[in-house]
Amino acid sequence: MSQNAPADPQIAPEQGGGKRQLLREKNRLTLLEATLDSIAEQGIAETSVSEIIARAGLSRGMIHLHFGGKENLVEAAAELSNQRYYEQLERHLAASGDRPQDKIVAIVRSDLSEEVLNTRNVSVWYAFRGEARKRAVIAGLSDTRDTRMGGLAKRSFVAIARAEGHTHPRAVARDASNGTLAILEGMWTDYLLHPDRFNRGDAARIVFRFLAAMFPAHFNLSGAR
Amino acid sequence: MSQNAPADPQIAPEQGGGKRQLLREKNRLTLLEATLDSIAEQGIAETSVSEIIARAGLSRGMIHLHFGGKENLVEAAAELSNQRYYEQLERHLAASGDRPQDKIVAIVRSDLSEEVLNTRNVSVWYAFRGEARKRAVIAGLSDTRDTRMGGLAKRSFVAIARAEGHTHPRAVARDASNGTLAILEGMWTDYLLHPDRFNRGDAARIVFRFLAAMFPAHFNLSGAR
DNA sequence: CATTTCAATGGACGATCGTCCATTTTATTG
DNA sequence: CAATAAAATGGACGATCGTCCATTGAAATG
């Protein structure tokens, strides 16, 4: 988690942080970005301290200074990447309509958007997944993701299944939620392995093909009805 | 060591494999298994030569002797894991009926079977995925998987979509094939992150919930109709 | 049984790993 | 403009990495 407290004695509110603190934060972020870049391009196995500081253009000691060690840096990078994922999701949700099907469409669109589903993010995400069993912090991020998105999707699908007149709306909704998130996972894998031939429109159509078959009154091939 | 036959590699039949060759093959396999174990438990990043030979109970030079280096060993381990995946798939396909929906059911059942979907396989598979971008050999394995399973699924779904009277059976089949494989991918991720709470029956039901919605004359919640 | 053959051993090697800290640089304070 | 405080530097350190080969051991051969 957090180890080296920045120990900021006073945050000068009228100055918005002195030049010194500003540079410090900038360097911290530079290290995180360099780490994500390296992991995306070379994988975690090839991402060494030397590799990171070379990309960041900073000195060797910075990693220990800012993060206390390589491991904490890598985990902080994972958290940053995860946080950005959620920022995009919240953005899409905020811009969506209020109907339950609108929320589902927002989740799908966010997960397949260029800001979320791109080479760097996917590479980084799968690199971390490969380490999830060994790193509790990283496993925790995936759990949070499950809980937040899964909860929202489930609630939306319950309303949809009820409106469609299903006899067991909650069972249907649970399966629809898990299935939709699973299929989005699969789309990420597709993108990881074939970033060139991947097509966002095709991916969305596949998702909505399933959803339209299950809830024809609420979805069609291009999203919400 | 006399009963634990290595399931005959490609040894010339007239040689029958002397005791020397038998031991050699056994050690080779021991190295591969130790590598897969280490990758599954510690991840690729923590899988060193020292770690592998300690697990295998063999000497340091064996890796260079048998594989020429660590990289080749890791790639051979990936190929072995992939090969075993296909053996299970072929087994399920051979035991299935001949109707197209039977083939789809066989693919799903194989992908969710205990022999295929277990902690070790999933951990190993995701570890390799994280390196797919950097290792051409590993990326190639995923491609093969796409081609073989994707082709079979697509052909089956075309027949199914035609029988269901869809106006654009090939477009429907393409989406159904990609969607089904994607959702199976997602189930693997579920298992990776929550091996304890994962339920094979639930996973299969989710898949068939989607398929039954799309092809009600061919599938129901428990598989083929 | 003596000899040949080849797999297996395990230590040496230089390279690289991540950590840490004495020193230098630079912003801030008095 | 000094004096001070904090951040950044970059090299030293021991540990560990993966590779390689001279040597050992055991199976095959005659």
Side-chain angles (χ1 to χ4, degrees):
Chain A
M1 299 278 188
S2 58
Q3 62 304 328
N4 265 4
D8 43 351
Q10 75 256 5
I11 314 159
E14 72 279 10
Q15 299 221 351
K19 187 179 179 184
R20 194 175 244 171
Q21 261 180 352
L22 234 54
L23 286 175
R24 183 183 161 86
E25 285 304 319
K26 188 188 169 212
N27 282 336
R28 197 187 126 95
L29 193 61
T30 301
L31 280 176
L32 289 169
E33 296 289 1
T35 304
L36 290 175
D37 281 339
S38 175
I39 289 175
E41 292 176 26
Q42 337 240 60
I44 286 189
E46 323 290 338
T47 293
S48 64
V49 166
S50 302
E51 177 70 30
I52 295 170
I53 58 106
R55 283 172 183 267
L58 294 173
S59 64
R60 214 166 170 63
M62 289 290 267
I63 290 177
H64 180 254
L65 177 66
H66 278 276
F67 297 94
K70 184 195 168 188
E71 188 158 333
N72 288 335
L73 167 58
V74 168
E75 290 176 357
E79 283 165 358
L80 175 61
S81 185
N82 199 55
Q83 173 199 324
R84 286 178 177 165
Y85 172 86
Y86 276 115
E87 286 172 3
Q88 288 300 321
L89 176 61
E90 298 298 343
R91 200 174 62 79
H92 278 86
L93 285 172
S96 76
D98 285 335
R99 298 176 305 170
Q101 61 267 44
D102 295 328
K103 298 304 177 192
I104 299 299
V105 171
I107 290 175
V108 174
R109 292 265 163 80
S110 175
D111 233 54
L112 298 179
S113 70
E114 292 181 18
E115 294 86 2
V116 169
L117 185 62
N118 54 56
T119 302
R120 196 173 95 138
N121 284 357
V122 171
S123 300
V124 163
W125 191 245
Y126 274 89
F128 285 136
R129 278 275 170 75
E131 301 280 305
R133 177 160 311 277
K134 199 72 204 320
R135 309 221 196 197
V137 172
I138 291 170
L141 295 180
S142 297
D143 264 357
T144 311
R145 193 157 163 171
D146 271 8
T147 310
R148 284 180 68 175
M149 278 188 54
L152 175 59
K154 174 96 180 292
R155 273 177 270 120
S156 303
F157 277 123
V158 167
I160 292 169
R162 286 215 173 95
E164 296 256 355
H166 276 93
T167 49
H168 301 295
R170 294 200 310 144
V172 170
R174 183 201 47 201
D175 287 356
S177 172
N178 289 333
T180 303
L181 297 187
I183 210 173
L184 287 174
E185 278 287 339
M187 293 303 158
W188 278 47
T189 304
D190 257 9
Y191 188 93
L192 173 78
L193 299 176
H194 312 292
D196 44 331
R197 83 163 83 131
F198 186 85
N199 182 290
R200 291 172 208 282
D202 290 349
R205 195 194 56 245
I206 293 169
V207 175
F208 290 119
R209 175 91 69 180
F210 277 111
L211 292 178
M214 196 173 285
F215 309 111
H218 290 77
F219 297 100
N220 61 23
L221 286 199
S222 52
R225 202 169 264 289
Chain B
M1 63 183 67
S2 55
Q3 58 181 6
N4 198 3
D8 99 289
Q10 47 278 47
I11 300 176
E14 72 277 11
Q15 294 184 354
K19 188 179 179 185
R20 194 176 243 169
Q21 257 180 350
L22 234 53
L23 286 175
R24 181 182 162 85
E25 285 304 319
K26 188 191 170 208
N27 283 335
R28 196 186 126 96
L29 192 60
T30 301
L31 281 176
L32 288 169
E33 295 289 1
T35 304
L36 290 175
D37 281 337
S38 175
I39 289 175
E41 292 176 27
Q42 336 240 52
I44 286 189
E46 323 290 338
T47 293
S48 63
V49 165
S50 303
E51 176 71 29
I52 294 169
I53 59 106
R55 284 172 182 266
L58 295 173
S59 64
R60 214 165 170 64
M62 289 289 266
I63 290 177
H64 180 254
L65 177 65
H66 278 277
F67 298 93
K70 184 195 168 189
E71 188 157 334
N72 288 336
L73 167 57
V74 169
E75 290 175 357
E79 283 166 357
L80 175 61
S81 185
N82 199 55
Q83 173 198 324
R84 286 178 176 165
Y85 172 88
Y86 275 115
E87 287 172 2
Q88 288 300 321
L89 176 62
E90 297 299 344
R91 200 174 62 79
H92 278 87
L93 285 173
S96 75
D98 284 336
R99 298 176 303 170
Q101 61 267 43
D102 295 328
K103 297 304 175 192
I104 299 300
V105 171
I107 290 176
V108 174
R109 293 265 164 80
S110 174
D111 233 54
L112 299 178
S113 71
E114 292 181 17
E115 294 86 1
V116 168
L117 186 61
N118 55 55
T119 302
R120 195 172 94 138
N121 284 357
V122 172
S123 300
V124 162
W125 191 246
Y126 273 88
F128 285 135
R129 278 275 168 74
E131 302 279 306
R133 178 161 310 280
K134 198 73 204 320
R135 310 221 195 196
V137 172
I138 292 171
L141 296 180
S142 298
D143 264 357
T144 311
R145 190 157 165 172
D146 271 8
T147 310
R148 284 179 68 174
M149 278 188 55
L152 175 59
K154 173 95 180 293
R155 271 177 272 121
S156 303
F157 277 123
V158 167
I160 291 169
R162 285 216 174 95
E164 296 258 354
H166 275 93
T167 49
H168 301 295
R170 295 200 311 143
V172 171
R174 183 201 47 201
D175 287 355
S177 172
N178 289 334
T180 302
L181 298 188
I183 209 172
L184 288 173
E185 278 287 340
M187 293 302 157
W188 278 47
T189 304
D190 257 9
Y191 188 93
L192 173 77
L193 300 175
H194 312 292
D196 45 330
R197 83 162 83 130
F198 185 85
N199 183 290
R200 291 173 208 281
D202 289 349
R205 196 193 57 245
I206 292 169
V207 175
F208 290 120
R209 176 90 70 180
F210 277 112
L211 291 179
M214 195 173 286
F215 309 110
H218 290 77
F219 297 101
N220 59 24
L221 286 200
S222 51
R225 200 169 267 289

